[in-house]
């Protein structure tokens, strides 16, 4: 009897730990089709078959407000939709900065890249979402009509964003990419944040770090606003298994 | 960071589970999107790279560029005001990011670029604007060029406007020939057009004809351009579609040697010429292209010695082009080597990977570098002490390597780094002189980051040595609001909080908020009711999300006018608290406390998610008592029975809703499996089928 109990306990504990491990999914770039390509990050083969690549073009810094170029235009034709990303430290853009962005958009398209739109990466505190919406409405007006507008977002937004402010974004941006990471680590406890995704009323994607582990919410695919993942490519991501084991979802 | 002038960083109150910020790593030099969500970590010990929390001391946790700036020559003199020492109230916390520091650094006005060429755009065509202006000026000042020639040559040059986007070369205009001096300018024009179009043979041929021109501008510029043409030629085909240097493509050594020879010829003829600085930069590019680390390192060391204090671009170049990939053996300059060594002392990140700078450095390897530091034992010993502290985990050794020198009237970066490390070692070895040591350093610390660093050190010490009372006593040297609020929010006990609340002011309101919240959620109902009297008359609200650590107002009107009921009937908060004070097991009152928490978004509240144990505010809270959890309350009410049907039915409804919509528990307490949630759901519909709560329950999660 004692031995039975011991075996059962062992089996149960093994079961429990396996279940916990399986729930965490390894972010293998080969299982995704949209990526961020940041400054200093080397090219990876997955880029050749990507559907979307968000390429960091430059940063808008303050004191003085200026755009700092980070990557040249992708050259030559390719089938991926390119998004030109600008990381902004401030929303106080000068006319010169706006001009530089629009000029870059033209040049990138001229270099052969299929530029689908512009993405703004700005850390908008949830309580300033309304100010951010004003900026984005203005930016949208300046962009050529066939240009999408995407923004990166913080997990804060899905759980604490004022509904009116989030809705204001919805009229202006085509998508929000919520970042589930800080630096190169998946934010611990992201599950609790994802639990509140039902508040999102804007099309959204989930941003993940290459080589991270995350727990996809069970019914993510049922969320009518969910559009897929975007993987942040890293130079030294943890090695993926030799053969990609992509989950069906 | 947006919206705050002056570059200060708000102490960002992140929500549940994110307050424990992980150590950050990044693949040098990439800055991961999302790192602006920087949370301050109130600790002085960073064993791994922490992008958001660089300190004003040399440390492995700093960005390499921050360390380079701290190592700059000229920052070693005591009392030299510099970017770091001079910052008075630029930041509320002692930690900062490299972006912050680069912004604070005074000196060179950063380039804002032009429409076509933003700052740091590396395109060859970037120099067209200034080149055209110089060409036109040289024309204007040469008496041997006729007026008509001057006009068409100037127009032809300024209308080039090359874009380097792979376009066809711009037409130069009328046939480029002419005699005499005008002909020479025309030849130059051909060369410039060809250079910008990427036709390097044609460009070189044109410039080669002008080295002996009698016009000094033409002669010098053409000589320089010969070198520049070769540097550009060397880069052809090296970059892939995404602008990345393709490692499969080896660089053409013959072209690199020609480039070096060309640049050398220029500098030999014009050692202080108008392009000398640019030529030296191009040398560095040649070394980098050729993988010549030793010469690159020497060239960068020279540049660092000569560059003005505000030159953060050079630090970026050193980090990006040299230190990201260099082996220790290839770097001779002590300052560059020190920055490289500090990077190598970083602990690998949690995912097992590390950034490219961190080739792990053994003690023996470090000791073997002694000769390269020459007579600079101060710097070398500081490195050895950092290694002992961060890698060897032998803080006692720091005390023998760095003697006490706490009382100068001011600290240079080097001295400050040394003494702070000594202080950290005193605390790590539980030396009874640690507190006195920090106090002795205070008078000599510069306002701003040095002062803040010491206040944090002292606050960390007091928190761990029963000294909270000293922190909040009159005359306490710890004045920083973020540090004080952190202690109030996470560790202060009810007596201290009440005392501070009575003192009024913003800090008093922070203390009151912490007191009331904790009394209410940790079963001190009588205390809660009596302390409500401390609410100020016009109790302040919060504008949206309440962030009050360091600045901002806590949402005190929550206790007066926070929502208490939605569909489930609940009285005012004071009534609920009174009931619970009499009878903590009262079912309806517990449900109503749950409603208050739910309706005001207090689940996983900031005040209930303390920082990690090694940070300020991370020690055990002095409040005691268990945190009320809605999840546990619902489960207990349902299991105990004996309550009214309405209460049980409501508890069942809320219990299942805790897991909506994604199956994750948002109510706190013990996690319950899906089978149990299903059983709750079924019981609600079976036993309480006619109830309002059953009719509102369509799903379980």
């Amino acid at each position: 009897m004692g031995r039975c109990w011991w075996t059962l306990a062992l089996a149960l504990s093994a079961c429990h730990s396996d279940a916990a491990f399986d729930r965490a999914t390894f972010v293998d770039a080969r299982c995704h089709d949209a990526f961020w390509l940041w400054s200093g990050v080397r090219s990876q083969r997955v880029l050749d078959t990507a559907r979307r690549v968000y390429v960091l073009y430059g940063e808008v810094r303050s004191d003085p407000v200026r755009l700092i170029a980070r990557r040249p235009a992708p050259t030559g034709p390719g089938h991926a939709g390119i998004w030109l990303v600008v990381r902004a430290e401030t929303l106080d853009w000068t006319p010169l900065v706006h001009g530089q962005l629009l000029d870059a958009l033209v040049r990138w398209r001229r270099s052969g890249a299929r530029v689908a739109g512009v993405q703004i990466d700005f850390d908008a505190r949830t309580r300033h979402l309304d100010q951010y919406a004003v900026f984005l409405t203005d930016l949208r007006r300046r962009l050529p009509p066939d240009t999408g507008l995407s923004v990166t977002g913080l997990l804060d937004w899905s759980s604490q964003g004022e509904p009116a402010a989030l809705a204001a974004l919805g009229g202006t941006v085509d998508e929000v990419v919520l970042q589930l990471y800080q630096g190169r680590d998946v934010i611990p406890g992201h599950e609790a944040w994802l639990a509140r995704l039902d508040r999102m009323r804007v099309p959204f994607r989930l941003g993940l770090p290459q080589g991270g582990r995350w727990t996809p919410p069970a019914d993510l695919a049922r969320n009518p606003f969910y559009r897929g993942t975007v993987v942040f490519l890293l130079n030294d991501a943890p090695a993926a298994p030799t053969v990609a084991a992509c989950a069906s979802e | 960071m947006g919206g705050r002038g002056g570059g200060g960083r708000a102490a960002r109150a992140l929500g549940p589970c994110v307050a424990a910020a992980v150590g950050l790593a990044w693949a040098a030099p990439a800055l991961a999107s999302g790192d602006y969500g920087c949370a301050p970590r109130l600790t002085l010990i960073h064993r791994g790279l922490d992008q958001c929390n660089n300190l004003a001391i040399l440390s492995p946790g700093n960005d390499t560029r921050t360390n380079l700036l701290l190592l700059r020559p000229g920052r070693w003199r005591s009392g030299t005001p510099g970017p770091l020492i001079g910052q008075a109230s630029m930041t509320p916390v002692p930690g900062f990011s490299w972006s912050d520091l680069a912004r604070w650094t005074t000196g060179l006005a950063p380039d804002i670029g032009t429409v076509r060429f933003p700052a740091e755009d590396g395109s060859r065509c970037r120099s067209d604007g200034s080149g055209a202006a110089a060409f036109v000026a040289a024309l204007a000042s040469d008496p041997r060029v006729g007026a008509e020639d001057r006009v068409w040559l100037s127009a032809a040059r300024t209308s080039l406007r090359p874009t380097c986007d792979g376009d066809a070369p711009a037409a130069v205009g009328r046939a480029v020939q002419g005699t005499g001096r005008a002909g020479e300018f025309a030849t130059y024009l051909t060369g410039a057009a060809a250079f910008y179009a990427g036709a390097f043979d044609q460009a070189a041929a044109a410039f080669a004809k002008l080295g002996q021109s009698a016009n000094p501008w033409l002669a010098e510029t053409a000589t320089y351009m010969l070198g520049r043409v070769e540097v550009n030629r060397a880069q052809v085909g090296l970059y892939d579609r995404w602008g990345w240097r393709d490692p499969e493509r080896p660089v053409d050594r013959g072209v690199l040697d020609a480039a070096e020879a060309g640049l050398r010829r220029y500098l030999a003829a014009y050692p202080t010429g108008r392009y000398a600085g640019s030529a030296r930069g191009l040398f560095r590019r040649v070394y980098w292209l050729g993988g010549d680390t030793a010469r690159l390192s020497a060239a960068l060391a020279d540049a660092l010695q000569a560059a003005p204090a505000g030159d953060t671009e050079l630090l970026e170049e050193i980090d990006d082009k040299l230190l990201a990939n260099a082996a220790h053996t290839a770097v001779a300059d002590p300052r560059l080597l020190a920055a490289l060594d500090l990077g190598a002392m970083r602990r690998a990140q949690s995912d097992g990977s590390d950034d490219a700078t961190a080739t792990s450095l053994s003690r023996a390897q470090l000791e073997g570098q002694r000769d390269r530091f020459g007579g600079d034992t101060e710097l070398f010993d500081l490195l050895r002490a950092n290694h002992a502290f961060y890698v060897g985990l032998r803080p006692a050794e720091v005390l023998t390597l760095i003697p006490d020198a706490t009382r100068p009237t001011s600290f240079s970066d080097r001295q400050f780094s040394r003494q702070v490390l000594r202080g950290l070692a005193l605390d790590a070895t539980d030396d009874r002189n640690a507190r006195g040591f920090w106090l002795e350093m205070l008078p000599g610390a510069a306002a701003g980051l040095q002062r803040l660093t010491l206040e944090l050190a002292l606050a960390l010490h007091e928190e761990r040595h029963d000294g909270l009372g000293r922190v909040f006593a009159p005359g306490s040297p710890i004045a920083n609001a973020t540090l004080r609020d952190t202690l109030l929010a996470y560790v202060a006990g009810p007596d201290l909080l009440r005392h501070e609340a009575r003192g009024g002011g913003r800090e008093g309101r922070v203390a009151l908020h912490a007191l009331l919240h904790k009394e209410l959620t940790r079963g001190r109902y009588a205390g809660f009711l009596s302390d409500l009297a401390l609410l100020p008359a016009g109790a302040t609200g919060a504008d949206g999300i309440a962030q009050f650590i360091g600045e901002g107002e806590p949402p005190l009107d929550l206790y007066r006018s926070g929502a208490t009921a939605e569909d489930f009937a609940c009285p005012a908060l004071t009534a609920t608290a009174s009931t619970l004070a009499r009878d903590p097991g009262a079912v309806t009152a517990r449900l109503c406390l749950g409603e208050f928490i739910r309706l005001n978004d207090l689940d996983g509240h900031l005040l209930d998610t303390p920082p990690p144990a090694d940070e300020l505010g991370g020690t055990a809270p002095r409040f005691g008592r268990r945190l009320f959890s809605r999840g546990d309350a619902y489960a207990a009410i349902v299991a105990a029975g004996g309550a009214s049907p309405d209460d049980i039915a409501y508890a069942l409804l809320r219990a299942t809703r805790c897991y909506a919509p994604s199956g994750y528990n948002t109510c706190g307490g013990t996690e319950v499996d899906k089978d149990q949630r299903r059983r709750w759901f079924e019981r609600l519909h079976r036993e309480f089928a006619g109830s309002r709560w059953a009719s509102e329950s369509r799903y379980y999660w």
Side-chain angles (χ1 to χ4, degrees):
Chain A
M1 188 60 164
R3 198 153 157 244
C4 268
W5 276 116
W6 182 79
T7 312
L8 181 62
L10 199 61
L12 279 177
S13 67
C15 244
H16 176 76
S17 57
D18 277 349
F21 185 81
D22 285 343
R23 267 185 31 191
T25 305
F26 180 79
V27 181
D28 185 332
R30 295 168 298 185
C31 299
H32 301 259
D33 62 9
F35 307 100
W36 270 298
L37 184 62
W38 223 243
S39 63
V41 178
R42 80 172 82 88
S43 311
Q44 294 183 28
R45 210 164 295 151
V46 286
L47 289 169
D48 298 332
T49 49
R51 269 224 217 121
R52 288 179 168 227
V53 183
Y54 296 84
V55 183
L56 176 70
Y57 166 59
E59 304 177 21
V60 176
R61 296 239 196 109
S62 46
D63 296 331
V65 177
R66 64 202 189 280
L67 174 61
I68 299 177
R70 286 291 177 227
R71 286 192 84 107
T75 55
H79 73 93
I82 305 289
W83 287 72
L84 189 155
V85 186
V86 175
R87 181 195 195 208
E89 201 174 85
T90 171
L91 298 181
D92 291 330
W93 288 20
T94 59
L96 177 60
V97 169
H98 277 292
Q100 287 167 334
L101 173 58
L102 292 173
D103 191 81
L105 190 53
V106 168
R107 282 183 293 108
W108 278 40
R109 283 173 161 155
R110 221 189 303 137
S111 78
R114 195 163 63 82
V115 182
V118 168
Q119 180 181 73
I120 302 297
D121 177 29
F122 172 67
D123 176 14
R125 302 302 155 79
T126 317
R127 63 176 160 173
H128 294 306
L129 272 181
D130 52 347
Q131 295 170 11
Y132 193 23
V134 169
F135 167 84
L136 291 169
T137 305
D138 174 72
L139 179 61
R140 164 70 86 189
R141 260 201 305 272
R142 297 171 189 254
L143 292 174
D146 55 349
T147 308
L149 182 56
S150 163
V151 291
T152 58
L154 307 172
L155 293 190
D156 244 10
W157 295 10
S158 68
S159 75
Q160 290 181 6
E162 291 277 336
L166 278 177
L169 280 187
T172 313
V173 302
D174 298 295
E175 65 170 24
V176 175
V177 187
L178 294 171
Q179 291 161 326
L180 268 67
Y181 59 93
Q182 194 168 31
R184 56 167 39 167
D185 296 305
V186 179
I187 291 173
H190 60 271
E191 299 88 342
W193 293 98
L194 295 178
R196 313 215 193 182
L197 278 175
D198 61 328
R199 291 204 200 191
M200 290 297 293
R201 291 285 176 267
V202 181
F204 69 94
R205 293 170 196 269
L206 295 179
L208 304 163
Q210 182 177 21
R213 284 186 186 281
W214 73 307
T215 316
D219 59 353
L220 190 55
R222 277 196 270 141
N223 189 319
F225 292 98
Y226 177 61
R227 295 287 183 270
T229 56
V230 181
V231 172
F232 191 95
L233 295 177
L234 293 167
N235 285 344
D236 299 306
T242 322
V243 178
C246 303
S248 53
E249 188 166 31
Chain B
M1 286 194 229
R4 288 202 58 198
R9 279 174 53 238
R12 175 157 182 239
L14 295 178
C17 305
V18 192
V22 293
L24 304 177
W26 63 318
L31 258 134
S33 165
D35 73 340
Y36 277 138
C38 269
R41 289 181 54 213
L42 297 176
T43 171
L44 293 174
I45 299 176
H46 300 287
R47 298 189 190 280
L49 174 62
D50 192 333
Q51 284 292 65
C52 291
N53 293 282
N54 288 205
L55 298 169
I57 55 173
L58 287 166
S59 161
N62 282 355
D63 189 307
T64 297
R65 294 166 292 187
T66 299
N67 283 335
L68 282 169
L69 192 143
L70 289 167
L71 285 160
R72 298 261 352 244
R75 295 195 57 81
W76 291 137
R77 289 192 299 280
S78 303
T80 306
L84 292 183
I85 295 175
Q87 296 310 316
S89 55
M90 290 291 280
T91 173
V93 293
F96 52 89
S97 70
W98 164 249
S99 284
D100 291 333
L101 183 57
R103 200 172 54 238
W104 296 336
T105 300
T106 57
L108 302 176
D111 172 30
I112 61 171
T114 58
V115 173
R116 163 60 183 88
F117 297 105
E120 297 187 33
D121 181 311
S123 163
R124 178 173 71 249
C125 287
R126 206 198 161 82
S127 60
D128 173 62
S130 58
F135 181 90
V136 167
L139 264 177
S141 61
D142 191 328
R144 292 192 175 232
V145 178
E148 203 202 281
D149 283 331
R150 189 180 310 143
V151 165
W152 86 260
L153 281 165
S154 297
R157 176 64 185 88
T158 48
S159 63
L160 262 188
R161 297 214 183 82
T163 55
C164 288
D165 287 331
D167 284 6
V172 168
R174 116 181 182 190
V176 183
Q177 58 189 36
T179 52
R181 191 61 54 77
E184 288 189 335
F185 275 97
T187 303
Y188 184 91
L189 183 52
T190 313
F195 170 74
Y196 287 123
F200 298 126
D201 286 337
Q202 193 183 350
F207 295 131
K209 293 183 190 147
L210 299 170
Q212 304 308 315
S213 168
N215 177 297
W217 185 87
L218 278 176
E220 178 177 1
T221 309
T223 308
Y224 164 71
M225 285 305 293
L226 281 171
R228 193 171 167 212
V229 163
E230 296 312 308
V231 174
N232 277 269
R233 192 203 298 277
Q235 295 178 100
V236 170
L238 286 187
Y239 297 91
D240 69 8
R241 160 151 213 260
W242 304 98
W244 187 258
R245 167 119 178 252
D246 187 348
E248 307 294 301
R249 303 287 200 105
V251 67
D252 187 329
R253 278 246 72 102
V255 177
L256 271 189
D257 290 344
E260 214 186 311
L263 293 169
R264 212 171 285 291
R265 259 193 301 277
Y266 170 77
L267 281 173
Y270 303 91
T272 54
R274 64 189 93 210
Y275 311 109
S278 173
R280 290 195 182 91
L282 286 176
F283 262 115
R284 300 197 294 264
R285 178 148 285 258
V286 168
Y287 300 147
W288 178 71
L289 286 169
D292 192 342
T293 311
R295 288 201 292 171
L296 176 61
S297 157
L300 284 168
D302 287 343
L304 187 60
Q305 183 71 34
D311 190 357
T312 54
E313 271 187 40
L314 179 61
L315 303 184
E316 307 251 5
E317 184 186 342
I318 293 173
D319 184 37
D320 182 18
K321 295 294 193 296
L322 175 68
L323 298 182
N325 297 301
H328 294 268
T329 44
V331 177
D333 178 81
R335 279 181 295 271
L336 301 183
L337 183 56
L340 186 62
D341 285 343
L342 287 167
M345 292 182 210
R346 289 172 189 151
R347 193 176 62 180
Q349 294 305 307
S350 52
D351 58 10
S353 64
D354 211 334
D355 84 27
T357 329
T359 56
S360 58
L361 181 69
S362 75
R363 183 180 178 167
Q365 283 172 320
L366 180 57
E367 294 293 330
Q369 293 176 4
R370 184 181 294 271
D371 288 343
R372 276 182 270 175
F373 287 88
D376 195 350
T377 50
E378 250 197 349
L379 178 56
F380 187 58
D381 285 345
L382 177 53
L383 289 172
R384 293 164 77 207
N386 267 284
H387 195 280
F389 189 85
Y390 289 103
V391 182
L393 304 181
R394 290 182 310 274
E397 210 173 298
V398 173
L399 303 176
T400 58
L401 285 167
I402 301 180
D404 185 326
T406 45
R407 278 166 264 187
T409 48
S410 68
F411 293 95
S412 67
D413 292 331
R414 176 194 294 211
Q415 290 166 335
F416 191 69
S417 299
R418 284 168 57 91
Q419 293 306 306
V420 168
L421 186 58
R422 181 179 167 88
L424 293 175
L426 288 172
D427 263 322
T429 53
D430 267 320
D431 192 298
R432 62 193 170 81
N433 296 315
R435 182 169 179 269
F437 181 89
W438 295 123
L439 289 172
E440 275 170 9
M441 279 190 78
L442 280 170
L449 287 165
Q450 285 191 350
R451 172 81 196 192
L452 278 179
T453 305
L454 293 177
E455 284 193 23
L456 176 55
L458 193 56
L460 284 161
H461 177 92
E462 299 288 31
E463 182 190 353
R464 287 152 183 78
H465 291 85
D466 213 18
L468 285 185
R470 285 191 290 271
V471 174
F472 292 95
S476 157
I478 298 170
N480 177 269
T482 304
L483 303 181
R484 294 170 68 99
D485 286 355
T486 299
L487 289 172
L488 290 173
Y490 297 115
V491 293
D495 293 335
L496 177 58
L497 287 175
R498 197 171 293 117
H499 181 264
E500 287 302 300
R502 292 209 173 101
R506 195 197 72 89
E507 186 173 283
R509 292 191 285 278
V510 170
L512 182 57
H513 181 41
L515 178 65
L516 291 174
H517 174 87
K518 293 192 179 187
E519 286 181 319
L520 183 62
T521 57
R522 286 154 173 83
R524 291 181 181 251
Y525 304 111
F528 172 76
L529 287 165
S530 94
D531 288 326
L532 278 176
L534 295 171
L535 276 176
T540 48
D543 49 341
I545 308 306
Q547 300 189 36
F548 51 84
I549 306 281
E551 56 156 14
E553 283 293 330
L556 284 176
D557 70 353
L558 178 66
Y559 304 105
R560 276 221 186 95
S561 48
T564 53
E566 199 175 42
D567 297 320
F568 183 75
C570 283
L573 183 61
T574 46
T576 297
S578 300
T579 307
L580 289 169
R582 273 193 323 272
D583 174 14
V587 172
T588 314
R590 277 149 74 204
L591 288 172
C592 287
L593 178 57
E595 288 299 275
F596 181 75
I597 289 170
R598 181 178 70 88
L599 294 168
N600 295 287
D601 227 355
L602 301 181
D603 286 311
H605 192 270
L606 166 71
L607 291 170
D608 302 322
T609 51
D614 61 330
E615 292 178 26
L616 190 69
T619 58
R622 315 316 186 232
F623 221 94
R625 305 279 190 96
R626 269 186 62 218
L627 176 64
F628 175 85
S629 134
R630 287 201 291 138
D632 286 346
Y634 300 143
I637 288 168
V638 160
S644 76
D646 192 55
D647 282 348
I648 298 182
Y650 191 63
L652 284 168
L653 173 67
R654 287 258 70 91
T656 55
R657 290 253 177 97
C658 283
Y659 292 80
S662 307
Y664 294 113
N665 178 18
T666 54
C667 300
T670 315
E671 184 120 349
V672 142
D673 68 21
K674 201 162 185 182
D675 270 345
Q676 176 61 270
R677 283 128 60 183
R678 180 178 46 78
R679 285 197 289 277
W680 282 336
F681 177 81
E682 288 169 350
R683 183 177 168 195
L684 174 60
H685 288 277
R686 189 179 60 243
E687 284 182 36
F688 305 95
S691 75
R692 171 184 185 174
W693 312 122
S695 67
E696 292 198 3
S697 156
R698 276 194 205 87
Y699 310 107
Y700 69 98
W701 290 267

